[in-house]
Amino acid sequence: MEGANPIVVTAKQCRNLSSYKDQKFTCFTRIEFGDGVLGESAKVEVLPDTEVDFNYSAMFDCGGTLDEWAIDEQVSRPMIISILEAIPKDKKSKEDKSVLIVQMSIDVLPLLRGECCVNGTNFLPVLTEANLQTEEPKLVELDYSISTERPLLSAAEISDGNLLSVNVHSMYSLPDSWQPGGFPYTFTAALPMPISEEEDNPLSITAGVVKSSLEKDPSVVSKQWAWPNVPNLQGPALQISNSVVDSVAIEDENGNLNKSEDLNFRIKAEHTKPRVVWNASRRCWLNKKACKKLESKILACSTWPIEIIRLNMPTPGKGGKSTKEEDILPSFHGIAYVNFSPLLYPGVSRIVGAYPVRPFSEGDLAQKTSKSKSTMALLGIIKSASRGARSARRGKKGSNTKLNSSQEGSPSESVEATPQAETKSDSYAYLEHNSYLKLEIVLETSLIPKRSISVLAKRVSEYIPSRPTLPKRVGGAEKAIQDFHKEVGSVVTLLLSEYRSLIGDTIPDDSSLNNQKDIEERRRKIIFELNSSGKYFAFKEKLKQAVVKIVREKYINTVPFTDQQQLQLFMSKLYMFLVDQMHVAVNKVLSLEDPKPQPPTFTTAEMMKQFAHEAEVARNYELAEYYYKERLARSDYVADHWFDYGAFCLLVQKSDMAEQCFYEAVSLDQTHIPSLLAYGMMCCLSEHYEEAETFFELATTTDPDNVIAWVMTGLYYEHVANRIMSDMAYEKAVRLNSGPRTKTVVNFAASPDNTSRRKSSFKGPPMASSLKQQSTASGHVPQVYVRAPTTSGAQVGSSSTKMDSEPGQNVGTTGAGQQEEATEDITATATTPAGNSAPDPLKKPLHIADSSVSFKDEVASVQVEDETTKRAVTATPTSLPVKDTASFHNTVTTSAISFGEVQKSEFAQEVDCSQQSCFLQAASYLLDIYALKFAGIALGNELDSPEGGPSIAYNLAYGRLLIYQNNYEAAFECLQSIVKINCQECNAYSLLGYAHYWAGDIEEAKQCFERTVAFVDNCVDIQCVYIVLADIYLQEKQYMKMKDTALQATRISPSAVSWRAVGIACYYLDELLEAEDALSEANILNNSDPVIWGYLTLVCLKLDRGSEAEQAYKFALKANLSDKLLLQEIKELRKANASLGTYSEASNIEIV
């Protein structure tokens, strides 16, 4: 903008103005900006409590075009209007005196936002001590206006710019000797900020004063921020209008002292110890280039310094002269490191927290922030102190104070060698008392905009168009024909009613019903009645509209008929069609056949989900796929059914089909969180990163309290090397997991068809061939560093996926103490009971990532993912009270679970999630869906987290990972270390049983399973444990134990497999009737199981029911019975039973 554009400030009318004395007085108004006076009005005489019309204006010329520094000056300083009383000079004084009556500050920010004129009225208290201390102080009304000829900034500059505010609360936990009333000094806080594109501008907030714990915080009284660096403001004029001091819960802060263990320490420090109070807000305007520079600087180094220093206040010397500049020596130079990376999170415009203050060190400053010069040096504070320190050293030549060679070149170190022995040790008071600074950084708009849920849903709809859950409505000709059938049926019903009412009572006995003469008489009678009453024409009118619709929809002709022949041909076709359709409709109405009843359904979607799970445990993947397809055939509009089938396809390595299933699930329900996460993971595997980010972002936006969704998002960003976003996602997940929500209700029956709850969070491992291909494809098995858990709770070393910690991030306090940095890599050994040191059975260098293997190749090799993607993921507590460790698998899951919307239902149970880390939840979820690569990374992050470590829950999850990788030997060692710590951990014994069972060690598996079922508390997979144990008893021919064990499974949840086991046991115990009943129950639940038909054949043979045996045998062969032992047994029993001559066809069956 060219040409002058001054800011005009006008003081208008003033009401209720009075002097300190209730008499006539002389007053005038003064207008200031910052430290400069813009003008003073003429003096006027005023009577107390009367209206004064000053109408005085002053101008501030800000030039035609505002640069960055001019804008920064206007947003950081107010216009000041003061009304003063003029006191006549006496004989002794040489100058006129004035006393301040009222004062107000005007914010110029509205003019920078495009407004050209701002008018208002302020109610200001009279600035006398007596008036300010009263409950209802006397108020003066002052009208004002502030205006410009045109906007100070263009619309483009306003939209591209951003307002940043540095709000400094207070510094707490100071030495008790720091009390107000002693030697006068103030504190200054400063930090660098890129206001312009060229260089950083140091922002300083001065006038921090020491207050005791008994004094009220000014922000609590006024609830507003104060103007910084404006010394000539008094009273309420210090407050920034329209600013609000918001309180934030400690758990929601971003600083280093936001843990639960820091709460007591902070409460004590803020209520019992002295503090330094600023409560000021330093604002600055960032143009488009400055915003980009701020973003790039945060990306380069996310840790920013804010320095604090104490300055002696200048005091009047002799003759009214102030102290020299050399005597204003700074001391207690401290520094706090603030993590600015949250400002780069999408939608985040504010960071607030408490940050530990430590002694200033240029070495630490350069190491953590890559800055070579102190902000105080940029402000000139340290430089002036250096001159004072040098003059002090010249006055004390005999002093023993010496500087190290490394300190002599540093201005800040030279400050610390003052004559009062305020060396580097004075700043250590911050460290000794664990001082911390509470501040917040606020942006008017976030640097990275967050996409709304509507935008994300639209973007997802572009990738996956939504599919309607119900079929489309019939329209056009088909709808017209249906309407015609409906109208004909309605007319037929009315005709029948008329016929019954007219002739029904006059019909003779049955012998005359077929008399042709009587039939013709009744026909003429009903036609006469219809014609004479007008009902015939009414019925024609009723059908007319339906016929018109058919002509329009099916026989529409836009060209008029040219001759009578075409018209006659059209009428003939229409007539024939209407007659045919009339016959169809009449036959529907007059049909004497009852509709075919729908066969009863004995299996629900819940039961089929359970049967599929049991088939997976038995590695019968064909049967499991049959159940999943059957569920889809019954209701293909349920997203859970597509999701479960897609997870099963991952288990059997059909990744393309799995992706299509997840695609269908998302198309049916874009708020289905498990499908969004699974499809996002599939996009990540196929390196479609933009699509993957959209699906993960929609999941976290749809359900912002979903811990697993945030961890999965963090894993994605960690894969694409976006450190800031991965930190954001992990921080959000940890905060949600440690929030006030201590109980979560897991829903097992939320889907429309009441789909089944998951009976186990442990699934059978993939096929052996799949795992062999996995091992050979990647060259190694993805594993992690683990050591045996110890009771000391020491943290474990990091895995290869650990990210570098943020500079200064581990600096903090735990309670009243400090947080020390976590050790990078710890190796430990387990001690045997005899006291000898033995190698740790779990400490194997199992790498999570290998630079020689790409992510896509390594993950593609383990795409054998389970169908239990919707399982709830609860685990044992990370601490070692093992009484609650059964909760690791105690959350049975279902395809009906909704991660975001959990409700209590018939199958709902409460799960304590407060003691389980977010990474363990995510690892359990990923193991449930066989995402082994991601699960390994999640377990590595669990080791790296401060709350994590090799707990029982971790080792259970790690043992599952090893079993899924077919690494049974390592799984034995891992799970056995758990039972050494807690011999009552039933989940560890069940996992050990599965590991031995699939490794072929049946005897060890039987012992583990028997111990599992002997515990008072059942493991989560107890039904499958009973079924597998019954199968082991069948192999060992312990039929009575097999029967009892199978009956236990049927009591928990009856299934075809459990009833089949009961029937087989009863058959071999010669309890044939009981065997027949049990096998019949199993056959009702699954009539396509060849084994059930085979044993039914044996039962019928022993009961001498040859025809039934033949029929059962045919069904067994039709179902592809392939059990050689069972076929041989049937053949031998058939031969032994010579009376079954009708079984001749079976004798020719070759037993293969």
Side-chain angles (χ1 to χ4, degrees):
M1 297 182 183
E2 298 180 356
N5 188 24
I7 299 176
V8 180
V9 184
T10 303
K12 300 179 179 178
Q13 289 79 19
C14 182
R15 292 171 289 276
N16 300 329
L17 187 63
S18 62
S19 174
Y20 299 101
K21 300 178 182 179
D22 294 334
Q23 60 185 10
K24 187 177 181 180
F25 63 96
T26 303
C27 66
F28 64 96
T29 181
R30 177 186 297 162
I31 299 178
E32 306 168 76
F33 179 70
D35 298 333
V37 177
L38 301 182
E40 295 181 354
S41 68
K43 298 177 181 178
V44 295
E45 293 185 353
V46 182
L47 293 174
D49 300 329
T50 59
E51 181 175 340
V52 183
D53 188 3
F54 289 107
N55 200 20
Y56 174 73
S57 299
M59 291 190 301
F60 174 74
D61 189 4
C62 53
T65 302
L66 296 178
D67 59 5
E68 298 86 354
W69 310 107
I71 298 175
D72 179 65
E73 185 180 16
Q74 293 182 23
V75 298
S76 61
R77 295 188 178 188
M79 293 287 181
I80 305 171
I81 300 179
S82 305
I83 299 179
L84 303 95
E85 178 183 0
I87 300 177
K89 60 183 178 180
D90 51 16
K91 296 179 180 180
K92 296 182 180 180
S93 62
K94 297 181 181 180
E95 298 178 355
D96 293 339
K97 294 183 179 181
S98 59
V99 178
L100 184 63
I101 301 176
V102 293
Q103 189 180 62
M104 68 172 293
S105 58
I106 305 174
D107 194 356
V108 190
L109 186 60
L111 299 181
L112 293 172
R113 288 176 171 166
E115 298 186 33
C116 293
C117 183
V118 178
N119 297 297
T121 301
N122 269 12
F123 295 86
L124 310 170
V126 178
L127 297 177
T128 61
E129 185 175 355
N131 183 54
L132 294 176
Q133 291 179 354
T134 58
E135 294 183 359
E136 296 182 358
K138 185 177 181 180
L139 300 179
V140 176
E141 297 182 34
L142 178 61
D143 299 336
Y144 70 94
S145 69
I146 179 171
S147 61
T148 58
E149 294 182 1
R150 57 182 182 273
L152 295 176
L153 298 177
S154 64
E157 291 175 328
I158 295 173
S159 61
D160 294 338
N162 207 339
L163 182 69
L164 183 141
S165 301
V166 180
N167 304 330
V168 181
H169 289 260
S170 301
M171 183 168 59
Y172 297 98
S173 189
L174 302 178
D176 294 333
S177 59
W178 291 16
Q179 295 292 338
F183 188 81
Y185 48 79
T186 62
F187 285 81
T188 297
L191 78 161
M193 190 60 59
I195 294 179
S196 64
E197 187 183 10
E198 290 77 16
E199 58 183 3
D200 292 348
N201 180 42
L203 303 184
S204 63
I205 300 178
T206 60
V209 295
V210 177
K211 292 184 178 292
S212 67
S213 59
L214 301 177
E215 297 183 64
K216 286 186 177 180
D217 196 329
S219 64
V220 176
V221 178
S222 64
K223 298 293 183 181
Q224 289 183 324
W225 296 106
W227 289 102
N229 312 331
V230 186
N232 50 347
L233 284 177
Q234 299 182 27
L238 282 167
Q239 312 303 323
I240 302 175
S241 59
N242 300 324
S243 66
V244 179
V245 178
D246 294 328
S247 58
V248 179
I250 292 179
E251 295 81 5
D252 297 331
E253 291 181 354
N254 305 97
N256 303 89
L257 303 177
N258 57 355
K259 307 296 186 300
S260 57
E261 57 266 21
D262 302 322
L263 181 61
N264 293 332
F265 163 69
R266 288 186 57 176
I267 292 176
K268 181 179 179 182
E270 294 175 15
H271 290 83
T272 62
K273 290 190 176 184
R275 60 185 182 274
V276 175
V277 178
W278 284 276
N279 288 320
S281 176
R282 173 62 166 90
R283 304 184 308 194
C284 63
W285 181 265
L286 304 178
N287 57 23
K288 185 177 182 179
K289 294 181 179 179
C291 291
K292 291 294 183 182
K293 185 178 180 182
L294 175 63
E295 182 178 344
S296 63
K297 280 185 169 292
I298 297 176
L299 285 173
C301 182
S302 61
T303 303
W304 287 45
I306 177 167
E307 300 179 33
I308 302 100
I309 201 166
R310 191 177 80 172
L311 301 173
N312 298 338
M313 294 180 62
T315 55
K318 294 182 180 181
K321 297 181 180 180
S322 61
T323 56
K324 298 180 181 179
E325 183 182 2
E326 287 80 2
D327 296 331
I328 307 175
L329 298 179
S331 57
F332 293 95
H333 190 185
I335 188 170
Y337 295 101
V338 182
N339 183 14
F340 269 53
S341 60
L343 292 179
L344 296 185
Y345 300 166
V348 174
S349 59
R350 180 189 186 192
I351 56 175
V352 57
Y355 299 91
V357 179
R358 295 294 177 257
F360 177 81
S361 170
E362 285 194 345
D364 290 343
L365 177 67
Q367 180 182 2
K368 295 180 179 180
T369 67
S370 302
K371 296 183 182 297
S372 59
K373 196 171 185 180
S374 167
T375 308
M376 294 299 176
L378 297 176
L379 290 171
I381 296 176
I382 292 181
K383 182 179 179 180
S384 62
S386 301
R387 293 197 300 266
R390 286 194 295 269
S391 62
R393 285 196 298 270
R394 286 195 298 269
K396 286 185 176 275
K397 295 181 180 180
S399 175
N400 293 327
T401 303
K402 295 183 179 180
L403 296 177
N404 296 330
S405 59
S406 61
Q407 297 174 335
E408 292 177 355
S410 171
S412 61
E413 302 299 337
S414 63
V415 173
E416 294 169 355
T418 62
Q420 301 298 328
E422 289 186 356
T423 58
K424 198 172 183 178
S425 61
D426 65 354
S427 299
Y428 273 90
Y430 298 128
L431 184 62
E432 293 170 359
H433 293 84
N434 301 302
S435 303
Y436 62 92
L437 180 69
K438 187 176 180 181
L439 62 91
E440 60 183 71
I441 311 295
V442 182
L443 288 166
E444 190 173 33
T445 57
S446 59
L447 293 175
I448 309 297
K450 182 178 178 61
R451 292 183 289 184
S452 64
I453 189 172
S454 59
V455 175
L456 291 170
K458 183 178 179 180
R459 190 69 178 273
V460 169
S461 298
E462 295 175 358
Y463 296 135
I464 304 177
S466 59
R467 180 167 71 89
T469 58
L470 298 176
K472 295 181 179 180
R473 293 194 307 171
V474 178
E478 188 176 356
K479 180 66 167 55
I481 295 172
Q482 288 184 1
D483 292 343
F484 178 74
H485 289 173
K486 186 177 180 181
E487 293 296 337
V488 170
S490 176
V491 171
V492 169
T493 303
L494 293 174
L495 285 173
L496 287 174
S497 178
E498 290 291 331
Y499 183 84
R500 292 189 183 102
S501 63
L502 183 63
I503 306 176
D505 297 335
T506 63
I507 297 178
D509 56 1
D510 295 342
S511 61
S512 61
L513 285 178
N514 296 327
N515 191 333
Q516 189 66 28
K517 184 178 179 180
D518 293 339
I519 293 174
E520 184 66 22
E521 181 66 25
R522 289 194 296 270
R523 187 182 70 83
R524 286 198 305 267
K525 186 176 181 179
I526 188 65
I527 291 177
F528 174 79
E529 181 65 25
L530 292 175
N531 285 321
S532 61
S533 63
K535 293 181 180 178
Y536 175 77
F537 299 98
F539 292 155
K540 284 178 62 177
E541 290 294 326
K542 188 175 180 63
L543 292 174
K544 183 184 292 185
Q545 187 64 30
V547 174
V548 170
K549 286 183 179 179
I550 289 179
V551 174
R552 288 177 177 175
E553 296 293 342
K554 189 172 181 62
Y555 292 95
I556 186 170
N557 190 6
T558 58
V559 180
F561 297 105
T562 57
D563 53 16
Q564 189 67 23
Q565 186 178 359
Q566 290 183 355
L567 177 60
Q568 190 64 34
L569 180 62
F570 169 76
M571 296 297 292
S572 299
K573 290 182 178 180
L574 177 61
Y575 177 76
M576 293 173 61
F577 177 78
L578 291 177
V579 170
D580 292 341
Q581 294 300 323
M582 181 193 68
H583 289 161
V584 172
V586 172
N587 289 334
K588 288 181 180 178
V589 176
L590 300 180
S591 177
L592 298 178
E593 296 181 2
D594 295 331
K596 295 181 179 179
Q598 294 291 335
T601 302
F602 297 101
T603 56
T604 63
E606 174 186 357
M607 298 172 67
M608 286 189 292
K609 182 72 177 293
Q610 175 189 336
F611 298 161
H613 166 55
E614 294 173 352
E616 290 172 3
V617 172
R619 296 183 178 180
N620 191 347
Y621 297 116
E622 293 182 1
L623 182 60
E625 185 174 14
Y626 164 77
Y627 284 121
Y628 285 121
K629 288 185 176 180
E630 181 66 21
R631 292 175 77 215
L632 284 175
R634 293 188 183 182
S635 52
D636 63 344
Y637 54 85
V638 180
D640 290 323
H641 296 179
W642 285 104
F643 175 79
D644 293 333
Y645 184 51
F648 171 78
C649 292
L650 287 178
L651 171 64
V652 295
Q653 293 185 323
K654 297 180 180 179
S655 57
D656 293 338
M657 187 179 296
E659 184 174 357
Q660 183 64 29
C661 291
F662 297 143
Y663 180 99
E664 292 292 336
V666 175
S667 68
L668 288 170
D669 186 3
Q670 289 190 358
T671 62
H672 194 252
I673 304 299
S675 297
L676 290 173
L677 296 177
Y679 193 78
M681 185 177 64
M682 297 302 295
C683 293
C684 185
L685 295 177
S686 57
E687 297 184 359
H688 297 155
Y689 298 127
E690 184 178 356
E691 296 181 24
E693 183 178 10
T694 301
F695 285 100
F696 285 124
E697 188 175 354
L698 179 59
T700 55
T701 306
T702 303
D703 186 6
D705 294 334
N706 193 316
V707 175
I708 297 176
W710 282 109
V711 176
M712 290 286 290
T713 304
L715 294 176
Y716 160 74
Y717 283 120
E718 185 175 346
H719 163 60
V720 297
N722 191 336
R723 180 182 55 83
I724 291 181
M725 293 301 297
S726 65
D727 290 348
M728 179 273 295
Y730 291 150
E731 179 184 350
K732 182 71 174 180
V734 171
R735 184 173 299 175
L736 286 173
N737 195 52
S738 60
R741 298 179 297 109
T742 58
K743 292 285 183 179
T744 301
V745 179
V746 180
N747 180 28
F748 297 117
S751 66
D753 62 341
N754 192 25
T755 47
S756 67
R757 59 175 175 171
R758 172 67 56 189
K759 299 302 293 181
S760 170
S761 63
F762 175 78
K763 298 291 293 181
M767 295 176 289
S769 59
S770 305
L771 290 169
K772 290 179 181 178
Q773 294 173 4
Q774 166 192 336
S775 303
T776 56
S778 60
H780 70 282
V781 179
Q783 298 169 339
V784 292
Y785 288 97
V786 185
R787 64 178 175 85
T790 60
T791 56
S792 62
Q795 295 183 358
V796 185
S798 63
S799 68
S800 61
T801 58
K802 179 173 180 178
M803 295 178 293
D804 295 335
S805 59
E806 292 294 328
Q809 191 168 352
N810 292 327
V811 180
T813 60
T814 302
Q818 293 179 261
Q819 286 182 340
E820 297 181 356
E821 294 186 357
T823 306
E824 281 281 326
D825 194 8
I826 300 177
T827 57
T829 57
T831 305
T832 61
N836 299 326
S837 178
D840 188 348
L842 299 182
K843 198 185 77 173
K844 295 180 180 293
L846 310 174
H847 304 288
I848 288 181
D850 192 340
S851 59
S852 63
V853 182
S854 67
F855 177 82
K856 180 180 179 182
D857 295 338
E858 190 168 352
V859 178
S861 66
V862 293
Q863 285 186 5
V864 280
E865 305 211 359
D866 186 56
E867 46 83 35
T868 60
T869 313
K870 298 206 64 168
R871 181 171 313 141
V873 281
T874 57
T876 52
T878 54
S879 56
L880 291 180
V882 293
K883 205 168 185 181
D884 298 332
T885 53
S887 64
F888 171 70
H889 288 295
N890 216 16
T891 301
V892 278
T893 198
T894 172
S895 63
I897 186 172
S898 172
F899 285 26
E901 301 176 1
V902 287
Q903 303 173 358
K904 285 188 176 182
S905 68
E906 180 183 359
F907 301 104
Q909 62 181 5
E910 288 187 344
V911 180
D912 190 357
C913 296
S914 60
Q915 296 180 340
Q916 179 190 357
S917 73
C918 60
F919 295 110
L920 272 182
Q921 295 182 48
S924 298
Y925 165 76
L926 292 166
L927 288 171
D928 292 341
I929 64 172
Y930 286 92
L932 304 186
K933 170 68 178 184
F934 284 102
I937 299 176
L939 289 174
N941 286 324
E942 167 66 14
L943 288 179
D944 293 339
S945 64
E947 299 84 3
S951 61
I952 291 179
Y954 171 83
N955 285 333
L956 283 171
Y958 182 57
R960 292 176 61 194
L961 177 64
L962 294 173
I963 292 175
Y964 293 160
Q965 294 170 345
N966 231 20
N967 191 353
Y968 297 123
E969 293 298 328
F972 297 153
E973 298 174 354
C974 175
L975 297 171
Q976 285 169 0
S977 68
I978 300 176
V979 299
K980 289 179 181 178
I981 298 173
N982 178 18
C983 61
Q984 297 181 4
E985 180 49 62
C986 56
N987 293 295
Y989 280 108
S990 67
L991 290 176
L992 272 173
Y994 283 117
H996 286 293
Y997 183 74
W998 281 303
D1001 193 348
I1002 302 300
E1003 184 62 30
E1004 288 293 334
K1006 184 183 73 171
Q1007 294 179 9
C1008 293
F1009 286 138
E1010 287 178 342
R1011 189 159 185 175
T1012 301
V1013 300
F1015 287 116
V1016 176
D1017 297 331
N1018 290 333
C1019 69
V1020 67
D1021 204 23
I1022 188 64
Q1023 182 185 9
C1024 290
V1025 168
Y1026 279 125
I1027 292 174
V1028 176
L1029 185 57
D1031 183 68
I1032 294 175
Y1033 287 144
L1034 175 62
Q1035 298 178 34
E1036 297 182 350
K1037 298 183 179 181
Q1038 301 182 31
Y1039 301 121
M1040 183 57 68
K1041 288 184 178 182
M1042 176 186 178
K1043 177 183 175 182
D1044 296 338
T1045 304
L1047 284 174
Q1048 290 291 338
T1050 58
R1051 291 189 184 100
I1052 297 173
S1053 180
S1055 66
V1057 177
S1058 59
W1059 279 119
R1060 184 185 68 184
V1062 174
I1064 294 173
C1066 291
Y1067 169 76
Y1068 287 114
L1069 292 173
D1070 287 332
E1071 300 173 358
L1072 299 181
L1073 295 179
E1074 290 83 352
E1076 184 180 14
D1077 292 340
L1079 292 172
S1080 299
E1081 290 288 340
N1083 199 22
I1084 291 173
L1085 296 175
N1086 182 12
N1087 59 4
S1088 62
D1089 190 340
V1091 177
I1092 297 176
W1093 288 112
Y1095 278 98
L1096 278 173
T1097 302
L1098 292 174
V1099 171
C1100 292
L1101 285 172
K1102 283 202 172 185
L1103 292 175
D1104 293 333
R1105 299 207 296 259
S1107 59
E1108 296 180 15
E1110 180 182 6
Q1111 186 178 11
Y1113 186 69
K1114 288 181 179 179
F1115 276 112
L1117 295 179
K1118 185 178 180 180
N1120 298 322
L1121 178 61
S1122 59
D1123 190 338
K1124 295 181 180 180
L1125 295 178
L1126 183 56
L1127 287 170
Q1128 184 66 29
E1129 189 173 358
I1130 294 174
K1131 184 176 181 180
E1132 292 175 357
L1133 185 59
R1134 182 191 58 79
K1135 291 180 179 180
N1137 198 344
S1139 63
L1140 298 179
T1142 57
Y1143 222 67
S1144 58
E1145 294 182 5
S1147 61
N1148 297 325
I1149 300 297
E1150 182 181 358
I1151 305 300
V1152 292

